[in-house]
Amino acid sequence: MKAAKLFASTALMALGLLTAGSALAGTLDDVKARGKLIVGVKNDYAPYGYLNDKGEIIGFEVELAKYVAKELLGSADKIELVPVVAANRIEFLTAGRIDVIFATLGVTPERDKVIDFTTAYVSSPGPAVMMAKEATTSKWEELKGKPVCGIQGSYYNKKMTEDFGINLVAFKTQPEALRALRDNRCVGFVFDQMTLDLKVQEADWTGYKVAVPTYEYLPMAGGIREGDKAFQEAVDKAITKAEAEGKMIGWETEFNIPHAEYIAERAKAAKAKLN
Amino acid sequence: MFGLDYSWLSDPAYQQWLLKGILNTIELAALSSCAAVIIGLVGALALTLRIFWLDAIVELFVEVFRNTPPLLQMLFAYFTLSTLGLKVTDPSTGLSVPLLSAFACASISLSLFGGALAIEAFRSGIETMPRSIIEAARSLGYSRWSRFWKVEAPIAARICLPALTNILTNLFKTTSQASVITVPELMYYAGQIYNDTFRTLEVMILVLLIYVSLVSIVTFAMARLERWMAFPGYGKGH
């Protein structure tokens, strides 16, 4: 009886996937018929996608999403922004609830098995360490055996403890880790460099600096459903056009992001390609 | 089996994490259980003295530590006590650092929480003493103290054992909350492992089995103790 039920539910799920797959074969047509692009974005992750004082979602990737909507549908307003988090964004996409992910999505082989990526548009820095201004540490190796605050579940935690021998003190949330850093429970706070670069510019954190820079950069791209070729080409074209027009560099300025060589290089390459 | 994937268990880093987590969980549970029993005994004894101000102190202690969530107590000890001035200067760096480590905060708050519950358990053992026994002891000429040590305490200890078992098993499970203040116990590492491997179900099942086994050791030991202490007419004695 149990086996029969299991089989039935599995068959139903498979059927659901099949029909979903066929219905979603042409997202580009769907988007045009609907007259609206549905995008999964972050709403808690400055500078890529976050809330402003009025409660609107803004940010680098939100601007990019609006630009893509304008290219596909003729207006940047023909867009619906769906807030997603790292844990649900891929399910939102594969289930058909959103058309595309622009939500700090790093290109990794594991994800590539499940979805396709658009062309990468940002090279996102990995973890770095924020320390007090007086700190003389500048290398990961120098942190061996020292207590460093971090966040539970971060993808680089294992590297911190196993490769660098750091005594990682991992909290549930960022405010707790920052509080512990202030209390001198740790010598530093390990987090992604983009966030830390912005953090040390805040008035409350002037006594701190990004002491140890990141050791890796991860390309960040949009996420779309597998095998959705026509849609992928259209989105890629829009991204390349934005790069060629220098939009990305403009958004870096607008959202207070340090200008990255990667984005400047891509802008140059895109210009050469389109001319 | 059942489509579960335990290949991550072959990673030596995860094996070490699990082992460290288990050891820290046991250490935290053992330390706070012992302290809780001691606090319980001292508190319950203090109550038998029937001194007005001592009663008030013990009751206040019980109310505060029994009626607040241990998670809140831990967070308070970890983040707030140092802000209130419980700090020392680290001689090697010259920086002012919190006096209590995460482990100290967790074990202290668990001890006080368990202690408050234990006081009540022991008190219930003493207070449910049948009047007839006390009167019998009195008529045999026992003084107040020898009556307490030779008649009341032995009976009370047996009466409150089941309640104490409950408290100790609960205390053991509550150690998992210490992960919030970064004590690297079993749940702390389990969370990191399933975040790394995406094998949430598999990690949860394993951790569940580990907790069941560890807590079973406690309940088994307490059951043995109960049987060993049993005497005719009470509980498991025949």
Side-chain angles (χ1 to χ4, degrees):
Chain A
M1 189 59 205
K2 262 190 185 154
K5 255 190 191 162
L6 194 68
F7 175 74
S9 58
T10 318
L12 271 175
M13 267 168 63
L15 197 68
L17 282 177
L18 278 177
T19 47
S22 58
L24 301 166
T27 304
L28 186 58
D29 296 337
D30 288 351
V31 168
K32 288 197 167 153
R34 195 197 297 131
K36 194 169 70 177
L37 181 70
I38 306 176
V39 189
V41 293
K42 287 269 175 90
N43 71 353
D44 62 348
Y45 208 104
Y48 294 112
Y50 58 104
L51 298 174
N52 66 7
D53 297 339
K54 292 179 202 148
E56 300 155 337
I57 306 176
I58 59 163
F60 184 96
E61 287 187 296
V62 176
E63 288 302 321
L64 175 63
K66 285 181 180 165
Y67 187 90
V68 172
K70 189 179 91 158
E71 286 301 305
L72 297 185
L73 300 167
S75 163
D77 296 330
K78 291 184 175 173
I79 192 166
E80 183 183 331
L81 298 173
V82 178
V84 293
V85 297
N88 67 18
R89 58 190 167 188
I90 289 178
E91 275 153 41
F92 269 44
L93 179 72
T94 51
R97 291 178 65 174
I98 55 179
D99 298 319
V100 56
I101 303 171
F102 286 124
T104 63
L105 184 70
V107 179
T108 65
E110 292 82 29
R111 288 176 189 147
D112 203 14
K113 284 180 201 155
V114 196
I115 58 168
D116 279 349
F117 291 107
T118 68
T119 174
Y121 47 82
V122 165
S123 177
S124 166
V129 183
M130 175 166 112
M131 300 175 84
K133 274 243 161 76
E134 304 78 46
T136 51
T137 311
S138 63
K139 291 195 187 71
W140 290 95
E141 292 72 30
E142 293 171 50
L143 290 168
K144 190 170 180 177
K146 293 195 175 150
V148 175
C149 289
I151 302 295
Q152 293 176 16
S154 299
Y155 77 92
Y156 44 75
N157 282 0
K158 190 176 170 204
K159 191 173 176 71
M160 295 296 139
T161 59
E162 304 308 304
D163 293 359
F164 297 136
I166 287 172
N167 173 16
L168 188 73
V169 182
F171 291 83
K172 294 266 184 213
T173 67
Q174 234 192 99
E176 288 166 352
L178 288 168
R179 175 78 243 167
L181 176 63
R182 269 209 203 284
D183 287 348
N184 295 322
R185 282 192 186 272
C186 329
V187 298
F189 172 46
V190 56
F191 203 65
D192 76 86
Q193 184 167 322
M194 180 68 75
T195 306
L196 294 184
D197 279 338
L198 292 176
K199 182 61 75 188
V200 294
Q201 291 174 29
E202 288 175 18
D204 287 351
W205 293 96
T206 45
Y208 290 81
K209 64 176 179 185
V210 178
V212 184
T214 190
Y215 51 80
E216 69 174 358
Y217 285 82
L218 198 63
M220 225 163 81
I224 56 171
R225 281 179 286 272
E226 282 216 288
D228 209 346
K229 285 288 166 231
F231 186 57
Q232 185 173 28
E233 272 167 32
V235 175
D236 280 353
K237 213 175 117 192
I239 293 173
T240 310
K241 193 162 171 234
E243 286 174 330
E245 288 174 5
K247 292 281 184 206
M248 300 278 187
I249 298 167
W251 296 330
E252 279 184 318
T253 314
E254 187 178 343
F255 296 107
N256 210 11
I257 306 169
H259 286 283
E261 211 170 291
Y262 179 86
I263 286 183
E265 289 293 326
R266 286 197 58 93
K268 237 187 261 170
K271 249 180 229 167
K273 198 172 153 192
L274 287 190
N275 288 336
Chain B
M1 200 169 51
F2 304 120
L4 297 179
D5 178 5
Y6 277 99
S7 55
W8 50 271
L9 260 181
S10 61
D11 187 326
Y14 295 151
Q15 292 171 2
Q16 254 187 18
W17 285 5
L18 282 175
L19 190 67
K20 268 194 231 166
I22 292 171
L23 290 177
N24 281 333
T25 291
I26 293 176
E27 195 184 340
L28 187 56
L31 214 70
S32 44
S33 296
C34 291
V37 170
I38 293 170
I39 293 172
L41 287 175
V42 171
L45 279 179
L47 286 177
T48 60
L49 297 178
R50 307 242 179 272
I51 303 171
F52 167 72
W53 55 269
L54 198 56
D55 280 7
I57 292 174
V58 174
E59 270 161 34
L60 183 71
F61 171 83
V62 169
E63 290 307 314
V64 169
F65 289 99
R66 184 187 58 181
N67 301 1
T68 48
L71 181 62
L72 179 72
Q73 292 174 21
M74 284 186 219
L75 285 170
F76 185 86
Y78 189 78
F79 285 111
T80 315
L81 287 185
S82 59
T83 314
L84 293 177
L86 209 59
K87 284 190 274 196
V88 287
T89 307
D90 184 345
S92 61
T93 57
L95 291 172
S96 146
V97 295
L99 176 66
L100 298 175
S101 70
F103 190 88
C105 290
S107 47
I108 290 172
S109 75
L110 285 174
S111 302
L112 297 179
F113 177 67
L117 296 176
I119 290 175
E120 287 301 272
F122 292 144
R123 187 174 66 86
S124 73
I126 295 168
E127 287 185 358
T128 51
M129 191 67 49
R131 291 289 317 162
S132 55
I133 290 181
I134 295 172
E135 276 159 14
R138 260 192 189 154
S139 60
L140 285 173
Y142 279 98
S143 69
R144 189 176 164 194
W145 271 110
S146 61
R147 190 177 81 221
F148 182 80
W149 286 117
K150 291 182 176 154
V151 180
E152 289 182 45
I155 296 175
R158 286 156 174 86
I159 291 176
C160 63
L161 261 187
L164 186 64
T165 307
N166 272 342
I167 292 168
L168 295 185
T169 52
N170 260 326
L171 204 55
F172 201 108
K173 293 179 288 181
T174 311
T175 58
S176 61
Q177 297 185 358
S179 62
V180 170
I181 56 165
T182 74
V183 175
E185 44 69 71
L186 189 51
M187 278 309 290
Y188 178 91
Y189 283 121
Q192 187 60 46
I193 293 174
Y194 67 68
N195 264 293
D196 282 2
T197 60
F198 300 111
R199 296 281 157 218
T200 315
L201 182 66
E202 286 87 342
V203 177
M204 284 300 180
I205 292 174
L206 181 67
V207 169
L208 195 118
L209 290 176
I210 294 173
Y211 271 111
V212 168
S213 320
L214 292 178
V215 177
S216 296
I217 296 174
V218 176
T219 50
F220 178 75
M222 290 301 285
R224 285 297 294 266
L225 182 68
E226 215 178 310
R227 247 204 326 264
W228 178 71
M229 285 174 71
F231 58 58
Y234 278 98
K236 289 187 174 153
H238 295 290

